[in-house]
Structure formats: C-alpha cells, structure tokens
C-alpha cells in the first residue's frame, strides 16, 4: 500500500496541526522583523528564516488540502501591523532567531520520531535539516560579531573519576555538604538563563504594545516570572563560583504601537512557555543533585500555572484553536438515528 493511500494517524494530524500554527506565527513575526533591520548580515539570516517558515507553512497546507482535512485558522495579515514603528533591536532579532531555531530543532525531531508515514517523515526531515542550517548560520554570525553568549568554562580534570558515594546526589539534606555543580548541571542552568532572557525581553515588548488591558497585565506577570527564574539560576551558579552567561546588548524600543495582534502575542508566549517547561523537565532529568531537581519541579509548576492563566485568557477572547480530537463515541451513541 502506497503512503498516499494510508490515512493520517493521530500523531501525524496533531504534529501537522501544531507545526502549521507555529510556522504561520513565525511568518508574520519575521516579516515584521524584516521591515526594520539595518545590519545586512542579520537581514540575510532573518530573510532565510522567513522563507523557510513560509515554505513550511505552504508544504503543510498542501498536505491538509490533499488529505481533505480542515485547515487551521492560524494567523493572517490581520495579525500584523507593518506600519508599527521599530520595536526590537537587530541584535535581539538575531538572538530571537537562534532561540526559535533551537525550539524548532527539538520540535521537528520530536515530530519526526512520532510518525510513520513515509511522505510525512520526509517532510519533517526536510524541515529539521533547514532549521539546523539556520541555527548554524546564526551561531556563526553571532561568533563573528562577538555577540555569542558563551557558556561558563571549567578546569580540565587530570583523569576520569567514579562516583564514590551516594552523597553525590545530596542537595536538600542540611547535614550533608553539597558537592559542586557538574558540567551537565551548569550547562542546563546556563541554557535556562538564556531562554528566560529572551522570554523576558519578548514579554516586555508585548506588555507595552498589547491593546487589551488583560493581555498587558498578563505579559507583565510573564516578565516578572522570567526575571525571578533568571535570578534563581544565576544564584545557583554563583554559589559555586560559576559565572552565569552574560547577555549581549540587545534591547527593545519605547514604542507602544502594536506590530502584532493580541492573539498572536498570546500564542507566542504560550509557545515559549511550553518550550521552557520542556527545558526544565529535560534539565531535571539530567541533573543529579537533588536540590536542583526539586528546584526545576517548583519552577515548572510556576510556569505551568501562569501558562494555564494565559490559556484561559485566550479562550475568553476566542483566540485559541481547538486541536483535532478523536470522535466522542458516547455522544454519537446518544444521537438519534437517521433513516
């Protein structure tokens, strides 16, 4: 049986639906970025990211049409205001593309691993490879410009070592000294500082440009939470005399004119929150000191509660699309039979 004759599975439908919304949002964010970018090298990578998001959206749209599956509403020109003044610096845009490429690589690889139909696998593989290419180019450009936020360094050990005691995993017992952070833990703490910095800057920009008062208030809460989490991670590093990653000089302007609809901004923050919670789960699983695991669980709960508040707000204003669902057999059974 050819792959064209095989119906889309739940995994294939859900991933196509999710990726369509994500790429649709990215198209309009990157389109706005291109309106106000001065550095020609930064413009080039943003333009490439825009073309990829646009192509991906069209590829997924073609699959929906071919399968005669309802197309998600997603986003349109109504969610973009190209007449809005400059809101983000060029440097921030470059870091933004880097962060979205990281999210894209994780998302595409996860989607690829969950589906079986050959044509969809081929499609996701193409998406992943294009995203990896953008990640490489943005990283190279940041390094060339001296803007890349480098991770902390450490001394090189003289030899390989074994864990000699279960105290290695201690962290919450006040009667047992905490060991110093290992390089795996330092890496995750550093990465979560960087991602929260992007989230903090993005929510700051959205808080001053959103039209709806509830959205503005929500963005302020997101900004505050990101700032608190950054402080927690930096404090954890500095206790072990490890320097946290230093953010580069990226900024937002004082413009209060919204470049994006409130719907798009809320969706975007929801996407960033979901990615952040996923990062915390990965970090908790990789960390071997018990206090770090508990800390990540606490921060994840805080992020999840705030994300739920955002989802409620989106439902209230009819901004949230319902994901494809399975049939409600009980409800169908209650329906009067048609002759």
């Amino acid at each position: 049986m050819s792959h064209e004759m095989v119906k889309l599975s739940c995994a294939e439908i859900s991933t196509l639906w999710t990726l369509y919304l994500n790429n649709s949002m990215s198209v309009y964010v990157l389109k706005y970025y291109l309106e106000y970018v001065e550095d020609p090298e930064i413009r080039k990578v943003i333009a490439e990211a825009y073309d990829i998001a646009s192509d991906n959206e069209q590829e997924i749209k073609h699959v929906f049409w071919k399968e005669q599956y309802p197309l998600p509403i997603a986003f349109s020109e109504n969610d973009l205001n190209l007449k809005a003044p400059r809101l983000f610096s060029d440097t921030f845009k470059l870091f933004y593309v880097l962060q979205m490429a990281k999210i894209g690589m994780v998302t595409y690889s996860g989607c690829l691993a969950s589906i079986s139909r050959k044509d969809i696998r081929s499609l996701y593989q193409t998406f992943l490879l294009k995203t990896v290419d953008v990640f490489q180019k943005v990283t190279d450009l940041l390094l060339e410009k001296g803007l890349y936020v480098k991770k902390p360094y450490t001394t090189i050990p003289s030899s390989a070592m074994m864990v000699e005691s279960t105290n290695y995993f201690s962290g919450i017992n006040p009667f047992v000294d905490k060991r110093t952070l290992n390089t795996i833990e330092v890496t995750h703490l550093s990465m979560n500082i960087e991602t929260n910095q992007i989230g903090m800057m993005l929510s700051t920009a959205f808080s001053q440009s959103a039209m709806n008062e509830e959205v503005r208030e929500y963005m302020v809460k997101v900004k505050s939470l990101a700032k608190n989490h950054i402080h927690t991670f930096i404090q954890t590093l500095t206790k072990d005399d490890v320097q946290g990653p230093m953010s580069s000089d990226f900024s937002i302007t004082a413009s209060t004119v919204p470049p994006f609809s409130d719907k798009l901004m809320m969706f975007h923050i929801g996407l960033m929150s979901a990615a952040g919670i996923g990062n915390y789960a990965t970090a908790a699983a990789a960390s071997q000191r018990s206090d770090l695991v508990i800390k990540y669980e606490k921060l994840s709960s805080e992020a999840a509660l705030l994300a739920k508040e955002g989802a409620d707000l989106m439902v209230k204003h009819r901004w949230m699309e319902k994901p494809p669902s399975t049939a409600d057999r009980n409800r169908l059974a209650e329906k009067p039979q048609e002759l």
Side-chain angles (χ1 to χ4, degrees):
M1 182 181 292
S2 67
H3 59 253
E4 288 84 358
M5 297 175 63
V6 178
K7 290 183 178 180
L8 293 172
S9 67
C10 287
E12 288 148 1
I13 292 170
S14 65
T15 53
L16 285 164
W17 184 87
T18 301
L19 295 179
Y20 184 81
L21 264 65
N22 292 354
N23 278 281
S24 177
M25 179 211 71
S26 295
V27 165
Y28 294 104
V29 173
L30 295 170
K31 188 173 183 178
Y32 169 72
Y33 283 0
L34 286 171
E35 283 291 302
Y36 299 100
V37 57
E38 298 171 353
D39 187 301
E41 292 177 303
I42 295 177
R43 170 177 286 277
K44 184 177 180 181
V45 294
I46 293 176
E48 183 171 344
Y50 169 79
D51 289 341
I52 289 172
S54 182
D55 289 345
N56 290 356
E57 182 185 25
Q58 293 304 314
E59 290 281 1
I60 299 171
K61 185 181 291 186
H62 177 71
V63 174
F64 276 115
W65 284 342
K66 185 176 67 174
E67 299 293 330
Q68 297 183 338
Y69 203 92
L71 194 67
I73 298 169
F75 302 96
S76 69
E77 294 290 344
N78 294 329
D79 296 295
L80 177 65
N81 176 20
L82 287 178
K83 294 181 180 179
R86 181 188 182 96
L87 186 58
F88 304 97
S89 67
D90 284 4
T91 307
F92 173 83
K93 294 172 187 174
L94 193 57
F95 274 95
Y96 171 90
V97 173
L98 178 67
Q99 180 60 28
M100 294 305 289
K102 290 178 181 178
I103 293 174
M105 288 189 294
V106 172
T107 304
Y108 289 136
S109 59
C111 291
L112 179 60
S114 67
I115 52 93
S116 58
R117 218 173 85 168
K118 188 172 182 179
D119 59 330
I120 309 299
R121 278 189 284 125
S122 178
L123 189 66
Y124 290 175
Q125 182 180 10
T126 301
F127 291 173
L128 177 59
L129 292 175
K130 288 190 293 185
T131 305
V132 170
D133 185 56
V134 169
F135 168 79
Q136 299 280 31
K137 289 177 179 177
V138 174
T139 302
D140 287 344
L141 184 56
L142 286 167
L143 288 167
E144 289 171 13
K145 291 181 174 293
L147 298 171
Y148 189 81
V149 180
K150 293 187 177 180
K151 307 296 185 294
Y153 290 92
T154 187
T155 55
I156 300 174
S158 57
S159 63
M161 294 176 286
M162 303 297 290
V163 174
E164 297 177 351
S165 169
T166 55
N167 288 343
Y168 185 83
F169 308 111
S170 297
I172 58 174
N173 188 341
F175 302 106
V176 177
D177 290 335
K178 295 179 186 178
R179 61 164 172 79
T180 57
L181 296 165
N182 63 37
T183 55
I184 297 172
E185 292 158 350
V186 169
T187 298
H188 283 287
L189 287 165
S190 300
M191 288 178 63
N192 282 309
I193 290 172
E194 294 172 29
T195 55
N196 273 284
Q197 285 174 337
I198 294 293
M200 183 178 70
M201 297 296 290
L202 202 61
S203 56
T204 299
F206 290 169
S207 70
Q208 68 187 44
S209 61
M211 296 291 289
N212 184 282
E213 184 178 356
E214 289 180 302
V215 174
R216 290 198 299 271
E217 291 174 353
Y218 178 74
M219 294 301 173
V220 171
K221 291 181 182 179
V222 173
K223 172 187 172 181
S224 178
L225 186 71
K227 188 181 295 184
N228 290 339
H229 286 197
I230 290 170
H231 175 73
T232 298
F233 296 136
I234 290 178
Q235 194 175 47
T236 304
L237 289 172
T238 53
K239 280 182 179 178
D240 277 1
D241 299 317
V242 178
Q243 176 65 52
M246 302 299 291
S247 62
S248 294
D249 183 25
F250 52 73
S251 61
I252 58 173
T253 70
S255 173
T256 58
V257 180
F260 311 117
S261 67
D262 288 353
K263 170 189 170 182
L264 187 146
M265 289 189 281
M266 288 296 297
F267 176 89
H268 200 335
I269 290 298
L271 173 62
M272 299 294 281
S273 296
I277 293 170
N279 289 341
Y280 288 175
T282 301
S287 299
Q288 295 173 306
R289 220 171 72 180
S290 56
D291 62 315
L292 295 179
V293 176
I294 293 172
K295 191 171 295 184
Y296 280 122
E297 290 175 350
K298 176 180 178 296
L299 299 179
S300 293
S301 297
E302 293 175 355
L305 286 172
L306 192 57
K308 172 62 167 60
E309 184 178 333
D312 290 343
L313 187 58
M314 291 187 71
V315 171
K316 176 181 178 180
H317 293 282
R318 298 186 62 81
W319 293 333
M320 179 175 282
E321 282 193 65
K322 184 186 293 186
S325 304
T326 56
D328 186 340
R329 300 298 176 181
N330 291 331
R331 184 177 179 182
L332 290 175
E334 295 171 358
K335 184 180 179 181
Q337 296 294 318
E338 296 181 2
L339 299 177

